[in-house]
Amino acid sequence: MHSWLHVQGLKFIKALISVKDEYYYKHIEKLDLLKNMLLIFRDISHKDNMVTACFLEVIEEIRILNVKNLICYIMNKYSGCFEGLKLQSAVFERLQIKFDQIMDRSFDGNNNGKTGSGSGLNDRGYLTCLLYTSPSPRDRQKS
């Protein structure tokens, strides 16, 4: 097929992640942009080629930059895709370790592991990101 096109898409996703902007992270998660990338990887994971290498590089970039939103998104939604992979198991084991560290930190807050406000976890136990949003110009005029 057109593996060079897959590689270019993966390079673009890596460039978005490298910008280190929460706005991009939110949209990657909201629009489920990693879905097709993960499906392609699942289909060709038994091969050792450029597409697989680029995918693993994107996953490693997410882990190294410690992008908590994307780590939690990948592990909560697609962790089943990584089971049974032998060649790439080290990359996903490191991602799982990072995910476990994030979850441990969210439980080690002042609430002793309880979910709810202030814990960073929602009712299902997923990590949520609390971001400060500046008021819009219309809101600033009202006050």
Side-chain angles (χ1 to χ4, degrees), residues 3-52:
S3 61
W4 59 271
L5 191 58
H6 297 305
V7 170
Q8 294 305 317
L10 288 165
K11 284 183 178 181
F12 179 72
I13 294 289
K14 184 179 178 195
L16 283 178
I17 292 167
S18 298
V19 171
K20 300 179 184 176
D21 189 356
E22 287 292 326
Y23 177 78
Y24 292 131
Y25 301 156
K26 283 175 148 183
H27 281 285
I28 289 171
E29 183 179 358
K30 180 181 177 183
L31 300 174
D32 202 14
L33 294 179
L34 299 180
K35 177 183 176 184
N36 290 330
M37 181 178 76
L38 289 160
L39 293 176
I40 290 168
F41 175 75
R42 186 187 64 197
D43 293 339
I44 63 166
S45 63
H46 61 282
K47 297 179 182 177
D48 189 21
N49 59 20
M50 186 64 81
V51 177
T52 304

Coordinates of all heavy atoms in Angstrom, one line a residue, residues 3-52:
S3 N 2.8 3.1 2.1 CA 3.4 3.2 3.5 C 4.1 4.5 3.7 O 4.2 5.0 4.8 CB 4.4 2.0 3.7 OG 5.5 2.1 2.7
W4 N 4.6 5.2 2.6 CA 5.2 6.5 2.8 C 4.2 7.5 3.3 O 4.6 8.4 4.0 CB 5.9 6.9 1.5 CG 4.9 7.0 0.3 CD1 4.5 6.0 -0.6 CD2 4.1 8.2 0.0 NE1 3.6 6.5 -1.4 CE2 3.3 7.8 -1.2 CE3 4.0 9.5 0.5 CZ2 2.4 8.7 -1.7 CZ3 3.1 10.3 -0.1 CH2 2.3 9.9 -1.2
L5 N 2.9 7.3 2.9 CA 1.9 8.2 3.3 C 1.6 8.0 4.8 O 1.4 9.0 5.6 CB 0.6 8.0 2.5 CG -0.5 9.0 2.7 CD1 0.0 10.4 2.3 CD2 -1.7 8.6 1.8
H6 N 1.7 6.8 5.3 CA 1.5 6.5 6.7 C 2.6 7.1 7.5 O 2.4 7.7 8.6 CB 1.5 5.0 7.0 CG 0.3 4.3 6.3 ND1 -1.0 4.6 6.5 CD2 0.3 3.2 5.5 CE1 -1.8 3.9 5.9 NE2 -1.1 3.0 5.2
V7 N 3.9 7.0 7.0 CA 5.0 7.5 7.6 C 4.9 9.1 7.8 O 5.2 9.6 8.8 CB 6.3 7.1 6.9 CG1 7.5 7.9 7.5 CG2 6.6 5.7 7.0
Q8 N 4.5 9.7 6.7 CA 4.3 11.2 6.7 C 3.3 11.6 7.8 O 3.4 12.6 8.5 CB 4.0 11.7 5.4 CG 5.1 11.6 4.4 CD 6.4 12.2 4.8 OE1 6.5 13.2 5.4 NE2 7.5 11.4 4.6
G9 N 2.2 10.9 7.8 CA 1.1 11.1 8.8 C 1.7 11.0 10.2 O 1.4 11.8 11.1
L10 N 2.5 10.0 10.5 CA 3.1 9.7 11.8 C 4.1 10.8 12.1 O 4.1 11.3 13.3 CB 3.7 8.4 11.8 CG 2.8 7.2 11.9 CD1 3.5 5.9 11.5 CD2 2.1 7.1 13.2
K11 N 4.8 11.3 11.1 CA 5.7 12.4 11.4 C 5.0 13.7 11.7 O 5.4 14.4 12.6 CB 6.6 12.6 10.1 CG 7.7 11.6 9.9 CD 8.5 12.0 8.7 CE 9.7 11.0 8.5 NZ 10.5 11.4 7.4
F12 N 3.8 13.9 11.1 CA 3.0 15.1 11.4 C 2.5 15.0 12.9 O 2.6 16.0 13.6 CB 1.9 15.2 10.4 CG 1.0 16.4 10.7 CD1 1.4 17.7 10.5 CD2 -0.3 16.2 11.2 CE1 0.6 18.8 10.8 CE2 -1.1 17.3 11.5 CZ -0.6 18.5 11.3
I13 N 2.0 13.8 13.3 CA 1.5 13.7 14.6 C 2.7 13.9 15.6 O 2.5 14.5 16.7 CB 0.9 12.3 14.8 CG1 -0.4 12.1 14.0 CG2 0.6 12.0 16.3 CD1 -1.5 12.9 14.5
K14 N 3.9 13.4 15.3 CA 5.0 13.6 16.2 C 5.4 15.0 16.3 O 5.7 15.6 17.4 CB 6.2 12.8 15.7 CG 7.4 12.9 16.6 CD 8.6 12.1 16.2 CE 9.7 12.3 17.2 NZ 11.0 11.9 16.6
A15 N 5.3 15.8 15.2 CA 5.5 17.2 15.2 C 4.5 17.9 16.1 O 4.9 18.9 16.8 CB 5.5 17.8 13.8
L16 N 3.3 17.5 16.0 CA 2.2 18.2 16.9 C 2.5 17.9 18.3 O 2.4 18.8 19.2 CB 0.8 17.6 16.5 CG 0.1 18.1 15.3 CD1 -1.2 17.4 15.1 CD2 0.0 19.6 15.3
I17 N 2.9 16.7 18.6 CA 3.2 16.4 20.0 C 4.5 17.1 20.5 O 4.5 17.6 21.7 CB 3.4 14.9 20.2 CG1 2.1 14.2 19.9 CG2 4.0 14.5 21.5 CD1 2.1 12.7 19.7
S18 N 5.5 17.3 19.6 CA 6.7 18.0 20.0 C 6.5 19.5 20.3 O 7.4 20.1 20.9 CB 7.7 17.8 18.9 OG 8.0 16.4 18.8
V19 N 5.4 20.1 19.8 CA 5.2 21.5 20.1 C 4.9 21.7 21.5 O 5.1 22.8 22.0 CB 4.0 21.9 19.2 CG1 3.5 23.3 19.5 CG2 4.3 21.9 17.7
K20 N 4.4 20.7 22.3 CA 4.2 20.8 23.7 C 3.1 21.8 24.0 O 3.2 22.7 24.9 CB 5.4 21.2 24.5 CG 6.5 20.2 24.4 CD 7.7 20.6 25.2 CE 8.9 19.6 24.9 NZ 10.1 20.1 25.6
D21 N 2.0 21.7 23.3 CA 0.8 22.6 23.5 C -0.4 21.8 23.9 O -0.8 20.9 23.2 CB 0.6 23.4 22.2 CG -0.4 24.5 22.3 OD1 -1.0 24.6 23.4 OD2 -0.7 25.2 21.4
E22 N -1.0 22.1 25.0 CA -2.1 21.4 25.5 C -3.3 21.5 24.5 O -4.1 20.6 24.5 CB -2.6 22.0 26.9 CG -1.7 21.6 28.0 CD -1.7 20.2 28.4 OE1 -2.8 19.5 28.2 OE2 -0.7 19.6 28.8
Y23 N -3.4 22.6 23.8 CA -4.5 22.7 22.8 C -4.4 21.6 21.8 O -5.5 21.0 21.5 CB -4.3 24.1 22.1 CG -5.3 24.3 21.0 CD1 -6.6 24.7 21.3 CD2 -5.0 24.1 19.7 CE1 -7.6 24.9 20.3 CE2 -5.9 24.3 18.7 CZ -7.2 24.7 19.0 OH -8.1 24.9 18.0
Y24 N -3.2 21.2 21.3 CA -3.1 20.1 20.3 C -3.4 18.8 21.0 O -4.0 17.9 20.4 CB -1.7 20.1 19.7 CG -1.4 21.3 18.8 CD1 -0.3 22.0 19.0 CD2 -2.3 21.7 17.8 CE1 0.0 23.1 18.1 CE2 -2.1 22.7 17.0 CZ -0.9 23.5 17.2 OH -0.7 24.5 16.3
Y25 N -2.9 18.6 22.2 CA -3.2 17.4 23.0 C -4.7 17.1 23.1 O -5.1 16.0 23.0 CB -2.5 17.4 24.3 CG -1.0 17.6 24.3 CD1 -0.3 18.1 25.4 CD2 -0.2 17.3 23.2 CE1 1.0 18.3 25.4 CE2 1.1 17.4 23.2 CZ 1.8 17.9 24.3 OH 3.1 18.1 24.3
K26 N -5.4 18.2 23.5 CA -6.8 18.0 23.7 C -7.5 17.6 22.4 O -8.4 16.8 22.4 CB -7.4 19.4 24.2 CG -7.2 19.7 25.6 CD -7.8 21.0 25.9 CE -8.3 21.2 27.2 NZ -8.9 22.5 27.4
H27 N -7.1 18.2 21.3 CA -7.8 17.9 20.0 C -7.4 16.5 19.5 O -8.2 15.9 18.9 CB -7.5 19.0 19.0 CG -8.3 20.2 19.2 ND1 -9.7 20.2 18.8 CD2 -8.1 21.4 19.7 CE1 -10.2 21.4 19.1 NE2 -9.2 22.1 19.7
I28 N -6.2 16.1 19.8 CA -5.8 14.8 19.4 C -6.7 13.8 20.1 O -7.2 12.8 19.6 CB -4.3 14.5 19.7 CG1 -3.4 15.3 18.7 CG2 -4.0 13.0 19.7 CD1 -1.9 15.3 19.1
E29 N -6.9 14.0 21.4 CA -7.7 13.1 22.2 C -9.2 13.3 21.8 O -9.9 12.3 21.6 CB -7.6 13.5 23.7 CG -8.3 12.6 24.6 CD -8.1 12.9 26.1 OE1 -7.3 13.8 26.4 OE2 -8.7 12.3 26.9
K30 N -9.7 14.5 21.7 CA -11.1 14.7 21.4 C -11.5 14.1 20.0 O -12.6 13.5 19.9 CB -11.4 16.2 21.4 CG -12.8 16.6 21.1 CD -13.0 18.1 21.2 CE -14.4 18.5 20.8 NZ -14.6 19.9 20.8
L31 N -10.7 14.3 19.0 CA -11.0 13.8 17.7 C -10.5 12.4 17.4 O -10.7 11.9 16.3 CB -10.4 14.8 16.6 CG -10.9 16.2 16.7 CD1 -10.2 17.1 15.7 CD2 -12.4 16.3 16.5
D32 N -9.9 11.8 18.4 CA -9.4 10.4 18.4 C -8.5 10.3 17.2 O -8.6 9.3 16.4 CB -10.6 9.5 18.3 CG -10.2 8.1 18.7 OD1 -9.2 7.9 19.3 OD2 -11.0 7.1 18.4
L33 N -7.5 11.2 17.0 CA -6.6 11.2 15.9 C -5.7 10.0 15.9 O -5.1 9.7 14.8 CB -5.9 12.5 15.8 CG -6.7 13.7 15.5 CD1 -5.8 15.0 15.5 CD2 -7.5 13.6 14.2
L34 N -5.4 9.4 17.0 CA -4.5 8.3 17.1 C -5.2 6.9 16.7 O -4.5 5.9 16.6 CB -3.9 8.2 18.5 CG -3.1 9.4 18.9 CD1 -2.5 9.2 20.3 CD2 -2.0 9.7 17.9
K35 N -6.5 6.9 16.5 CA -7.2 5.7 16.3 C -6.7 5.0 15.0 O -6.4 3.8 15.0 CB -8.7 6.0 16.1 CG -9.5 4.8 15.8 CD -11.0 5.2 15.6 CE -11.8 4.0 15.1 NZ -13.2 4.4 14.9
N36 N -6.7 5.7 13.9 CA -6.2 5.1 12.6 C -4.8 4.7 12.7 O -4.4 3.7 12.2 CB -6.4 6.1 11.5 CG -7.9 6.3 11.2 OD1 -8.7 5.4 11.4 ND2 -8.3 7.5 10.7
M37 N -4.0 5.5 13.4 CA -2.5 5.2 13.5 C -2.4 3.8 14.3 O -1.6 3.0 13.9 CB -1.8 6.3 14.3 CG -0.4 6.1 14.5 SD 0.4 7.4 15.4 CE -0.2 7.2 17.0
L38 N -3.2 3.7 15.4 CA -3.1 2.4 16.1 C -3.7 1.2 15.4 O -3.2 0.1 15.5 CB -3.9 2.6 17.4 CG -3.2 3.5 18.4 CD1 -4.2 4.1 19.5 CD2 -2.1 2.8 19.1
L39 N -4.7 1.5 14.6 CA -5.3 0.4 13.7 C -4.3 -0.1 12.7 O -4.1 -1.3 12.4 CB -6.6 0.8 13.1 CG -7.8 1.0 14.0 CD1 -9.0 1.6 13.3 CD2 -8.1 -0.2 14.8
I40 N -3.6 0.9 12.1 CA -2.6 0.5 11.1 C -1.5 -0.3 11.7 O -1.0 -1.3 11.2 CB -2.0 1.8 10.4 CG1 -3.1 2.4 9.5 CG2 -0.8 1.5 9.6 CD1 -2.8 3.7 9.0
F41 N -1.0 0.2 12.9 CA 0.0 -0.5 13.6 C -0.4 -1.9 14.0 O 0.4 -2.8 13.9 CB 0.4 0.3 14.9 CG 1.4 -0.4 15.7 CD1 2.8 -0.5 15.3 CD2 1.1 -1.0 16.9 CE1 3.7 -1.1 16.1 CE2 2.0 -1.7 17.6 CZ 3.3 -1.7 17.2
R42 N -1.6 -2.0 14.5 CA -2.1 -3.4 14.9 C -2.0 -4.4 13.7 O -1.6 -5.5 13.8 CB -3.5 -3.3 15.4 CG -4.0 -4.6 16.0 CD -5.5 -4.5 16.3 NE -6.2 -4.3 15.1 CZ -7.4 -3.8 15.0 NH1 -8.1 -3.6 16.1 NH2 -8.0 -3.7 13.9
D43 N -2.3 -3.9 12.5 CA -2.3 -4.7 11.3 C -0.9 -5.1 10.8 O -0.7 -6.2 10.3 CB -3.1 -4.1 10.2 CG -4.6 -3.9 10.5 OD1 -5.1 -4.7 11.4 OD2 -5.3 -3.1 9.8
I44 N 0.0 -4.2 11.0 CA 1.4 -4.5 10.5 C 2.4 -4.6 11.6 O 3.6 -4.6 11.4 CB 1.8 -3.4 9.5 CG1 1.9 -2.0 10.3 CG2 0.9 -3.3 8.3 CD1 2.7 -1.0 9.5
S45 N 2.0 -4.9 12.8 CA 2.9 -4.9 14.0 C 3.9 -6.1 13.9 O 4.9 -6.1 14.5 CB 2.2 -5.0 15.3 OG 1.4 -6.1 15.4
H46 N 3.5 -7.1 13.1 CA 4.4 -8.3 13.0 C 5.6 -8.0 12.1 O 6.5 -8.8 12.0 CB 3.6 -9.5 12.6 CG 3.0 -9.3 11.2 ND1 1.9 -8.6 11.0 CD2 3.4 -9.7 10.0 CE1 1.5 -8.6 9.7 NE2 2.4 -9.2 9.1
K47 N 5.5 -6.9 11.3 CA 6.6 -6.6 10.4 C 7.5 -5.6 11.0 O 7.2 -4.8 11.9 CB 6.0 -5.9 9.1 CG 5.1 -6.9 8.4 CD 4.5 -6.1 7.2 CE 3.6 -7.0 6.4 NZ 3.0 -6.3 5.3
D48 N 8.8 -5.6 10.6 CA 9.8 -4.6 11.1 C 10.1 -3.7 9.9 O 10.9 -4.0 9.0 CB 11.0 -5.4 11.5 CG 12.0 -4.5 12.2 OD1 11.6 -3.4 12.7 OD2 13.2 -4.8 12.2
N49 N 9.3 -2.6 9.8 CA 9.5 -1.7 8.7 C 9.4 -0.2 9.2 O 9.4 0.0 10.4 CB 8.4 -1.9 7.7 CG 7.0 -1.8 8.2 OD1 6.8 -1.2 9.2 ND2 6.0 -2.4 7.5
M50 N 9.5 0.7 8.3 CA 9.5 2.1 8.6 C 8.3 2.6 9.3 O 8.3 3.4 10.2 CB 9.8 3.0 7.4 CG 10.0 4.4 7.6 SD 11.5 4.8 8.6 CE 12.7 4.7 7.3
V51 N 7.1 2.1 8.9 CA 5.9 2.5 9.6 C 5.8 2.1 11.0 O 5.5 2.9 11.9 CB 4.6 2.0 8.8 CG1 3.3 2.4 9.5 CG2 4.6 2.4 7.4
T52 N 6.2 0.9 11.3 CA 6.3 0.4 12.7 C 7.3 1.3 13.5 O 7.0 1.6 14.6 CB 6.7 -1.1 12.7 OG1 5.8 -1.8 11.9 CG2 6.7 -1.6 14.1

